[in-house]
Amino acid sequence: MTQHTQHKSEVRDGMRVDWDVPITMDDGVVLRADVFRPVADGSYPVIMNHGPYAKGMAFQEGFPMMWEPLVEEYPEILDGSSNAYQNWETVDPERWVPDGYAVVRVDSRGAGRSPGLLDIFSPRETLDYAACVEWAGTRSWSNGKVGLLGVSYYAVSQWLVAARQPPHLAAIIPWEGATDYYREFTHHAGLLNTFVSKWYPGQVRVAQHGVGDRGLRNPNTGETIAGPETLTDEELAANRRDSTADLRAHPLNDVFYRERSADLPKITVPLLSAANWAHGLHSRGGFEGWAQASSEQKWLEVHGLGHVTEFYTARGLDLQRRFFGHFLKGQDTGWDRQPPVQLNVRHVDGSFEQRAELEWPLARTEWTKFYLRTGDGSLSTEAPVDRHTAPFDALGEGLTFATEPFAEPTEITGPAAARLVVSSSTTDADLFLTVRVLDPEGRDIRFVSALDPAGVVAHGWLRASHRALDAERSLPYRPWHPHDHLDPLTPGMAVPLDIEIWPTSVVVPAGYRLAVTVQGRDFEFPGDGPWPRSFGVEMKGHAVFLHNDPDDRPTDLFGGVTTLVSGGDEPSYLLLPVVPESPERVEGVRRGPVPERV
């Protein structure tokens, strides 16, 4: 039986803090929230998040390997903060409450201090979130305007709840969050991504309600972060969905995934979508959410560096404050003059050029086909006349095609796609496309990605049996696969595959080359390391997003010989967004860590 959790209120560090405030759902389950607000009586706009990571878990205790290098490299994160109340991927109350905001953190059903069945991204969880928004918007200390802000899970859930249109929801800032549970979070173009099997035990299950005394404690209250009761392993298992088993039970994009994916056209609230160029889980969602939402007032911001870095930096905080100041407070923050798209274009030296744009993809894009010439291994804008074939071991090194050195700096910014003509010795094949930049000596440029200190330019994937297209939703630069049925291959028969490559940005200097590697397995940088590790995974250019589940990729089906065809009536090519220089630029270059080279 759930123990009673006391609601406590106190004044500390210049804030009125209410711990474990009860919020009763329509079915009687009581969720618990922490509320940080100004001491003075008044009505304040609310910044809320709702999720499973335990509102009482201190960032530096729960995620020290991420916190310590972040603060060391960006000490500005602690400006105006004691860090006593900082959570993973949420706002710091000490940086917002003095500006006249109330910060509300809710433990979602079955997580942290909230009892119930833990079922991530479920319709029930989203319904709870909408109820919490309405609760916050009707408190005496609220001005009736609720804004949502958070990273990753706390961004995914924003897309979901915004589609339900709770009346007191006034604005959202989903920062690096997926929108499609199948295409982005669990499967890459039909290939099972093993991320959930590694992330769920270490970040969600450890904070399940009922872990109690076996878990961490809130350093501010001394209470268990996932209690107060301590349940048995059997009781805990009975109170949660087996999220990994759910994915195995649903290999195709059925209702299970659709009800856990955002209905983006139903979103009408003002939004700022902040995306990262290189997150293997979330990048696509930031662009698709912005593009498909029906909001009349919406902005897209795209950055690089680590997953949470720009969320906490002074630049990120300034964006968030100006956006919420405009929509939650009605202040003149200059946001009405904010360009609809703000890009941080990547350069190979680790710098980012901040640039304002009017649309996405960029209207001046020169969509350019780079042909994979199987006859000589080159990547060229000149189509091969003769048909050639190139077989490769699906689980081997694959094939790499490279351009001649560029004669002048060339910017590639936008979504991309590929048309590959392939056959297989089996009835299926997985295609992994990796876009790379090579320096004049042929060495890889390693870009800082969201979860890997050394990443590539862009990735694309497709399971050949998922090659069917939705003609109405497909775009030349973004094919759309329904993933709802299988079309097995006939061994030895070549078929065209349209492959989505997630949005990217890079300026390739003169003398450097662009390359693409085609494989039947995850790409790895050459060399012996040592490689950084996360979730027990050695990161070799693919971060923690692997596709090596033996049940999803049995060797007898995906370990054959794949043959790439190109030339004549069956050209294979990349469609890349080449961007000519614009005379209209935004001044300022933000530097990041200098990329390593292989």
Side-chain angles (χ1 to χ4, degrees), residues 188-206:
H188 286 144
L191 287 72
L192 177 65
N193 176 1
T194 59
F195 173 78
V196 170
S197 66
K198 297 173 175 60
W199 157 77
Y200 187 86
Q203 285 191 214
V204 178
R205 203 167 67 198
V206 295

Side-chain angles (χ1 to χ4, degrees), residues 86-143:
Q86 181 62 73
N87 270 177
W88 167 243
E89 299 185 334
T90 69
V91 303
D92 183 347
E94 289 185 283
R95 302 177 86 185
W96 285 91
V97 172
D99 284 349
Y101 290 90
V103 173
V104 178
R105 295 171 172 164
V106 186
D107 280 336
S108 57
R109 183 180 297 239
R113 306 282 288 182
S114 299
L117 178 69
L118 179 58
D119 187 3
I120 59 173
F121 304 123
S122 65
R124 177 69 255 185
E125 186 176 271
T126 303
L127 183 64
D128 289 346
Y129 198 172
C132 291
V133 169
E134 290 307 288
W135 175 88
T138 55
R139 299 305 95 188
S140 61
W141 39 261
S142 169
N143 74 348

Side-chain angles (χ1 to χ4, degrees), residues 384 387-389 419-421 494-496 565-573:
R387 183 182 189 272
H388 292 274
T389 62
R419 162 68 66 92
L420 300 186
V421 181
V495 297
V565 179
S566 188
D569 295 333
E570 298 178 304
S572 291
Y573 58 84

Side-chain angles (χ1 to χ4, degrees), residues 155-215:
V156 177
S157 57
Q158 289 181 56
W159 293 115
L160 289 166
V161 74
R164 289 184 176 266
Q165 301 180 1
H168 287 88
L169 182 59
I172 62 172
I173 308 179
W175 199 281
E176 297 191 29
T179 60
D180 191 313
Y181 196 50
Y182 188 87
R183 292 176 178 84
E184 298 159 11
F185 208 101
T186 65
H187 294 72
H188 286 144
L191 287 72
L192 177 65
N193 176 1
T194 59
F195 173 78
V196 170
S197 66
K198 297 173 175 60
W199 157 77
Y200 187 86
Q203 285 191 214
V204 178
R205 203 167 67 198
V206 295
Q208 183 183 354
H209 181 81
V211 168
D213 292 333
R214 289 175 290 183

Side-chain angles (χ1 to χ4, degrees), residues 255-544:
V255 66
F256 171 80
Y257 297 100
R258 290 194 292 271
E259 68 182 10
R260 288 167 171 77
S261 300
D263 191 346
L264 297 172
K266 290 185 178 178
I267 297 176
T268 59
V269 71
L271 68 88
L272 165 60
S273 177
N276 192 307
W277 292 122
H279 196 300
L281 197 71
H282 295 313
S283 290
R284 182 183 188 273
F287 295 95
E288 288 294 325
W290 178 84
Q292 295 187 44
S294 298
S295 306
E296 293 184 2
Q297 300 181 90
K298 58 183 181 180
W299 289 263
L300 174 67
E301 186 275 342
V302 195
H303 52 265
L305 302 179
H307 179 36
V308 300
T309 302
E310 291 284 38
F311 179 77
Y312 293 106
T313 61
R315 192 188 76 85
L317 186 60
D318 175 69
L319 277 171
Q320 298 158 20
R321 281 176 169 164
R322 290 194 295 114
F323 179 81
F324 276 161
H326 179 80
F327 286 107
L328 302 187
K329 288 186 170 184
Q331 295 177 334
D332 181 7
T333 65
W335 194 264
D336 58 334
R337 300 178 295 281
Q338 178 74 12
V341 176
Q342 181 172 299
L343 305 180
N344 287 275
V345 177
R346 290 192 297 189
H347 289 262
V348 298
D349 65 353
S351 65
F352 295 88
E353 176 191 354
Q354 190 173 117
R355 197 170 73 210
E357 298 287 354
L358 297 177
E359 70 286 305
W360 179 267
L362 307 185
R364 66 183 183 279
T365 300
E366 297 175 353
W367 297 101
T368 306
K369 291 180 179 179
F370 287 79
Y371 294 92
L372 284 65
R373 299 171 63 97
T374 49
D376 60 11
S378 66
L379 187 63
S380 172
T381 55
E382 183 178 342
V385 175
D386 298 326
R387 183 182 189 272
H388 292 274
T389 62
F392 61 93
D393 177 359
L395 301 182
E397 296 299 318
L399 305 172
T400 295
F401 302 83
T403 65
E404 291 295 319
F406 283 17
E408 57 186 20
T410 302
E411 179 183 336
I412 297 170
T413 294
R419 162 68 66 92
L420 300 186
V421 181
V422 303
S423 66
S424 173
S425 62
T426 71
T427 58
D428 212 342
D430 284 343
L431 277 297
F432 294 72
L433 271 65
T434 306
V435 182
R436 305 156 66 183
V437 171
L438 307 178
D439 73 7
E441 285 72 46
R443 300 173 299 189
D444 271 287
I445 299 297
R446 298 184 182 184
F447 297 88
V448 176
S449 77
L451 292 180
D452 191 334
V456 296
V457 178
H459 287 288
W461 310 262
L462 183 63
R463 176 156 291 175
S465 59
H466 288 233
R467 64 188 179 278
L469 289 171
D470 182 328
E472 291 187 1
R473 301 197 68 174
S474 290
L475 299 167
Y477 52 79
R478 200 267 287 117
W480 189 277
H481 303 276
H483 301 295
D484 58 3
H485 69 281
L486 301 180
D487 288 318
L489 297 174
T490 299
M493 181 179 292
V495 297
L497 306 179
D498 293 286
I499 302 174
E500 177 182 5
I501 298 173
W502 286 15
T504 188
S505 175
V506 64
V507 176
V508 183
Y512 286 59
R513 294 183 295 157
L514 193 71
V516 61
T517 297
V518 182
Q519 295 172 280
R521 62 167 174 82
D522 288 299
F523 171 83
E524 295 181 353
F525 280 123
D528 298 323
W531 307 101
R533 298 179 69 90
S534 181
F535 295 103
V537 174
E538 281 190 331
M539 299 186 291
K540 302 179 180 181
H542 47 58
V544 297

